[in-house]
Amino acid sequence: MRQPYNYNHQVHQSQRSAFAALFLVLLPIFFPNLFAPLGRASPSLFSEWNAPKPRHLSLLEVALHWKTPIKRQFDLWSPLPNQGWKPCIDSADTPSLPERSQGYIQVFLDGGLNQQRMGICDAVAVAKILNATLVIPHLEVNPVWQDSSSFTNIFDVDHFINVLQDEVSIVKELPREYSWSSREYYATGIRATRIKTAPIHASADWYLENVLPVMRSYGIAAISPFSHRLAFDKLPVEIQHLRCKVNFEALAFVPRIRLIGETLVNRLRDPSGKLQASGTEVLRERTDDTEKERAGKFVVLHLRFDKTLCRTWLLIQLAILVEAKLRNWP
């Protein structure tokens, strides 16, 4: 007598479970507002259903009908007044290079180009603090862009060494006796010459206490990771001057990159100029020098990469809005 009851009970229980599951699946479709916070908080099935809808059309319409006062336009595009800033690379002290180096120092830099550039400035400063010979920094492969460009692919390495020759000893590669110290060597095990505990914004004293002994013992020290591993404050003035010198004098792009940058700026300033192919179809320059020069106005928007669709979409909306707004400005 109990078997039919148990069977019917199991059937009803299965049906209730199926209806409950179906209800949960269909609930976000009929009541999407209830799941909006969940969709924004974490990527999931709900976030796919609640993808952001285009909202730039109303903003674009407002921008097209918005009239900016002439004075405000003039103030916006006028050069900034002199605020008393002076080049920090102008130092009264004559740079001096110590006669004997304490050893070699290597750094491995990750992140984007901006983070790597800051890391290079910090690496030169650390080499100065430790009286070490700096090996041209190793740029890690960017995990997002998969860019394997090396230091020499981006920056003029000879210019870099020459500008800093009176400040820090720099070599393009290690001598043969230290050729074992490579990225692959440190990736395959724990090595005594690798410093991987450098804190964020470490002080100069930290490097003197923790890195210098390793360099004196083995003749070399490799710091990885190194991004943001040197403090901005409480450093000697000469070290801060050296940082500025690296950033604004020593780090110069290779001619190919400089040419691309100059071409982009020229085309932004005068997009109506006559263009002609110059060696490559990508680079085009104006060839009519008799045409009247015009100081065109333009805005550069840095679209930082982000895997979140919402943020990328908002940046695109902002770019469209700015472009539409600029069309109304003389």
Side-chain angles (χ1 to χ4, degrees):
M1 296 295 292
R2 292 183 179 179
Q3 289 182 353
Y5 171 78
N6 292 336
Y7 175 78
N8 293 333
H9 178 71
Q10 292 177 357
V11 170
H12 289 305
Q13 186 175 7
S14 300
Q15 291 177 346
R16 286 196 297 268
S17 300
F19 282 121
L22 182 61
F23 176 76
L24 289 177
V25 171
L26 296 178
L27 184 61
I29 298 178
F30 295 106
F31 302 98
N33 293 334
L34 297 177
F35 293 83
L38 177 61
R40 289 192 295 267
S42 60
S44 64
L45 179 63
F46 302 125
S47 63
E48 293 295 329
W49 286 341
N50 293 293
K53 304 299 188 297
R55 299 179 180 178
H56 69 277
L57 295 180
S58 59
L59 297 176
L60 182 58
E61 183 177 358
V62 173
L64 290 175
H65 294 85
W66 181 26
K67 301 298 183 182
T68 305
I70 300 299
K71 184 180 183 303
R72 187 173 180 183
Q73 297 178 25
F74 178 80
D75 294 339
L76 176 65
W77 295 107
S78 298
L80 292 176
N82 184 6
Q83 299 177 350
W85 296 101
K86 297 180 180 179
C88 58
I89 56 177
D90 293 340
S91 175
D93 300 330
T94 303
S96 59
L97 184 65
E99 295 182 0
R100 185 174 181 275
S101 172
Q102 297 286 349
Y104 294 94
I105 186 166
Q106 288 178 293
V107 296
F108 300 89
L109 304 175
D110 54 8
L113 181 60
N114 184 52
Q115 288 77 13
Q116 291 175 339
R117 188 183 186 98
M118 293 174 60
I120 295 169
C121 298
D122 291 346
V124 174
V126 169
K128 183 72 172 181
I129 293 171
L130 300 177
N131 185 19
T133 298
L134 176 66
V135 184
I136 290 295
H138 175 86
L139 307 184
E140 300 280 13
V141 176
N142 190 292
V144 175
W145 307 115
Q146 296 298 317
D147 183 10
S148 59
S149 299
S150 64
F151 186 102
T152 55
N153 296 138
I154 301 174
F155 301 108
D156 188 334
V157 64
D158 292 325
H159 175 81
F160 180 76
I161 295 175
N162 292 336
V163 170
L164 300 172
Q165 61 182 350
D166 295 329
E167 301 272 7
V168 177
S169 176
I170 303 175
V171 295
K172 296 181 180 179
E173 57 184 18
L174 287 167
R176 181 172 298 179
E177 60 181 308
Y178 295 107
S179 60
W180 48 265
S181 182
S182 63
R183 180 68 180 83
E184 293 74 18
Y185 173 76
Y186 294 110
T188 56
I190 300 175
R191 311 297 182 181
T193 53
R194 178 187 175 184
I195 308 295
K196 59 180 181 179
T197 58
I200 300 294
H201 300 160
S203 64
D205 291 338
W206 188 92
Y207 284 94
L208 293 172
E209 296 170 1
N210 295 273
V211 180
L212 186 58
V214 174
M215 196 165 51
R216 285 176 173 173
S217 299
Y218 299 95
I220 188 172
I223 308 177
S224 175
F226 187 71
S227 298
H228 308 290
R229 290 312 195 272
L230 182 62
F232 288 104
D233 302 321
K234 298 181 180 180
L235 289 175
V237 176
E238 59 271 16
I239 297 298
Q240 302 289 38
H241 286 168
L242 179 58
R243 264 176 160 168
C244 289
K245 186 175 183 178
V246 176
N247 194 30
F248 296 107
E249 283 195 2
L251 283 176
F253 290 118
V254 294
R256 177 181 61 86
I257 296 180
R258 289 204 305 269
L259 177 60
I260 294 175
E262 292 171 359
T263 302
L264 290 175
V265 172
N266 290 338
R267 296 189 66 181
L268 286 169
R269 286 177 174 171
D270 189 7
S272 62
K274 296 181 179 179
L275 303 175
Q276 161 180 314
S278 56
T280 168
E281 294 182 358
V282 178
L283 300 179
R284 296 177 180 273
E285 286 286 359
R286 191 182 64 189
T287 58
D288 188 1
D289 294 332
T290 62
E291 185 175 351
K292 183 180 178 180
E293 294 286 343
R294 293 188 302 145
K297 303 179 181 68
F298 61 91
V299 172
V300 177
L301 177 63
H302 180 196
L303 293 175
R304 293 182 62 86
F305 180 84
D306 197 293
K307 292 184 178 180
T308 305
L309 178 62
C310 297
R311 183 173 299 178
T312 305
W313 182 247
L314 289 175
L315 289 174
I316 295 174
Q317 292 182 35
L318 178 60
I320 296 174
L321 179 61
V322 170
E323 180 183 2
K325 183 61 184 174
L326 288 179
R327 290 178 180 176
N328 288 337
W329 284 338

